[in-house]
Each structure stands twice: as structure tokens, then as C-alpha cells.
Amino acid sequence: MMQLRTLFFTSILLPWILSTAAKDKYMEVRRPKKDTANFPDYDTVQDSVTDPAAAPKAVVYCEEVFPEMSAVPALPKETAHLYARFNKITKIRNQDFADIATIKTIDLTGNLITEIDDGAFSKLLLLEELILVENKLTKLPMLPAKLTLFNANFNQLKTKGVKATAFKKLTGLAYLYLGNNELTAVPQLPESLQVVHLHNNKISTVTDETFCRGNSSYYIRTNMDEVRLDGNPVVLSEHPDSFICLQALPIGWYH
């Protein structure tokens, strides 16, 4: 009896239910879609895009290139992120990024860069992250206003090669890494900073104006979470008023 009921349902009743549901638009039958990759036609899209931020984006990797790469290669105009780490690049020229209005990240870690033209990055209005770790820089060029992260750890930067106001005007800068250089003074720091690393330099003194406002005992740096000054000749105990505006004392080992 059970077999007869099952046969009746599958052969007569179920087809009738499905056809009725389809007629009444309660059910839609579709073929499964195939996984496809759609690549934008940059030639046609670029012509219709007037806002660089809305243009198609590309990520370019050219790391440890062989044979050796000693200069920034020609880049697609829609490049948003460039990773050219561990090559033999020695200089950054004004023209290297002149036509790349969409770029947001430049990572040149582990090259041999000794010189950067002063205007090489200044006109990159969308650039947010600039990473120059492990190069041979003694001075810095002009920096674009929209930077949120700048990392130049492990270079040969000297105070005379870094303008006192180089970072002060970067009102969105949150992360600043200048460790393992040859700086003798702390540059002026923007209010937006959350993390600043200045460890392993030659900084011998700080004042109540370095991080705080000497004329105000009520001022608190609410954004700054982390400061590193370890590995410098400065003796923090000799400058007790230099950190009263910070929510936490500098981290690291000190004499």
C-alpha cells in the first residue's frame, strides 16, 4: 500500500504541483551559472572615467626581479598598489609616478635607493601608504597630504635631511616609522598620529613641546597610543614633563 502511495505521488501528483507552481509564478527554474571572470576593458573604461578614484584598479607585483631591476618600471595608469620590493632600484624620479593618479600604496622595501626627486610623490593625491624600509636614504622628499602610513625604518636619514615640518601638515597620518636611522631630533608630529617609532637613532634630548604643549597642563594627545624612543642616548628621567600629555609612556628598554 505504501509503495502505491509513493508511486502515485511521484508520478502523478508531484508533476502537477510543480507545473501549477510554475504557472502561478511561485517558482522559477534557472540553469546553474558557470563561474566566470570578467575583466574590465581598461581602454574603453578609462576614456569615460573622469574621477581617478572611480577608475579600475590594478595591483602590480615586481619583487626580486631577475635580471636585476634598477629603476621603477613603466606602470599601468590604473595602478592602485605597487609592490617592488627587494630589487636594485637606486633612484626615484619625478616621472616614475607622474601619470599614476590612482595609486594608493607604494612599497619599495629592500632596494638601494639613495635619492628621491623632491616632487616624485607630492602630486599623488590618493597615496595613503608609502613604505621605504631598508634603503639608503639620507633625506626625504615632499610627502603627499593624504598619507596615513609612512615607514622609512632602516635607512640613513639625518635630521638635516628631514624638514622639521615634513610630517606636521599630514593631518591624516596615523603611523610613522623612522626607527634605525641617524636622526638627532624628533620632527614635528601631527595630531592625528597613533603610533610613532623613533627607536635606534641618535636623539639626545626631548622637550615639553616634542609631544605635548608646554604652555598647557590640560592638553592630552588622545590619538597617540604608542611611542618608541629606545636605543637613543636620551635619558627619559631627565625630561619628566615631556610625556605628561601622553596616555602611556614610551615603550621599550631605557637606561
Side-chain angles (χ1 to χ4, degrees):
M1 188 68 178
M2 182 62 69
Q3 292 177 346
L4 289 174
R5 289 178 179 175
T6 302
L7 180 62
F8 174 76
F9 179 78
T10 56
S11 61
I12 298 175
L13 189 57
L14 181 59
W16 178 81
I17 292 173
L18 294 175
S19 63
T20 302
K23 288 178 181 179
D24 293 339
K25 298 182 180 179
Y26 293 127
M27 183 179 70
E28 183 179 3
V29 180
R30 297 179 180 178
R31 292 182 179 180
K33 292 183 177 180
K34 295 182 180 180
D35 291 333
T36 58
N38 296 317
F39 296 97
D41 184 344
Y42 292 127
D43 291 333
T44 58
V45 176
Q46 277 291 99
D47 293 340
S48 62
V49 174
T50 57
D51 180 7
K57 305 300 188 295
V59 180
V60 177
Y61 288 91
C62 43
E63 303 182 335
E64 297 184 278
V65 174
F66 182 84
E68 296 177 352
M69 186 172 74
S70 59
V72 175
L75 300 170
K77 288 187 176 182
E78 67 276 2
T79 299
H81 308 280
L82 170 66
Y83 300 92
R85 298 176 286 205
F86 309 111
N87 289 293
K88 305 293 184 183
I89 299 171
T90 58
K91 182 178 179 178
I92 306 300
R93 305 166 300 168
N94 286 334
Q95 59 265 37
D96 287 338
F97 299 101
D99 298 325
I100 317 297
T102 57
I103 199 158
K104 292 185 175 182
T105 304
I106 296 176
D107 188 345
L108 296 167
T109 296
N111 280 277
L112 302 173
I113 302 170
T114 59
E115 184 180 357
I116 300 176
D117 286 350
D118 201 43
F121 305 125
S122 62
K123 296 181 180 179
L124 303 179
L125 302 182
L126 299 182
L127 187 63
E128 297 176 354
E129 299 186 1
L130 179 56
I131 303 168
L132 302 170
V133 178
E134 292 183 29
N135 280 283
K136 298 179 181 297
L137 293 169
T138 59
K139 63 179 183 178
L140 294 179
M142 293 176 59
L143 299 174
K146 203 172 180 179
L147 276 186
T148 60
L149 180 149
F150 180 73
N151 191 339
N153 283 345
F154 293 98
N155 275 273
Q156 300 167 16
L157 292 174
K158 296 176 171 56
T159 294
K160 65 179 181 180
V162 180
K163 295 179 181 178
T165 58
F167 307 105
K168 186 69 173 178
K169 297 179 181 179
L170 306 183
T171 56
L173 188 66
Y175 304 95
L176 177 60
Y177 302 99
L178 297 171
N180 293 88
N181 281 283
E182 299 178 19
L183 300 174
T184 57
V186 179
Q188 295 179 28
L189 305 173
E191 292 290 328
S192 56
L193 268 186
Q194 298 176 29
V195 175
V196 56
H197 286 187
L198 294 158
H199 54 288
N200 298 331
N201 277 279
K202 298 180 179 180
I203 300 168
S204 58
T205 187
V206 291
T207 71
D208 57 3
E209 295 282 347
T210 302
F211 299 100
C212 306
R213 295 175 182 171
N215 59 354
S216 174
S217 58
Y218 299 100
Y219 170 70
I220 301 294
R221 264 193 182 267
T222 55
N223 291 325
M224 190 166 286
D225 297 323
E226 184 175 300
V227 176
R228 281 193 66 179
L229 282 167
D230 50 307
N232 284 282
V234 63
V235 180
L236 299 192
S237 60
E238 295 179 358
H239 308 277
D241 295 332
S242 298
F243 309 102
I244 58 174
C245 68
L246 301 181
Q247 300 183 93
L249 290 173
I251 63 174
W253 293 95
Y254 297 90
H255 296 296

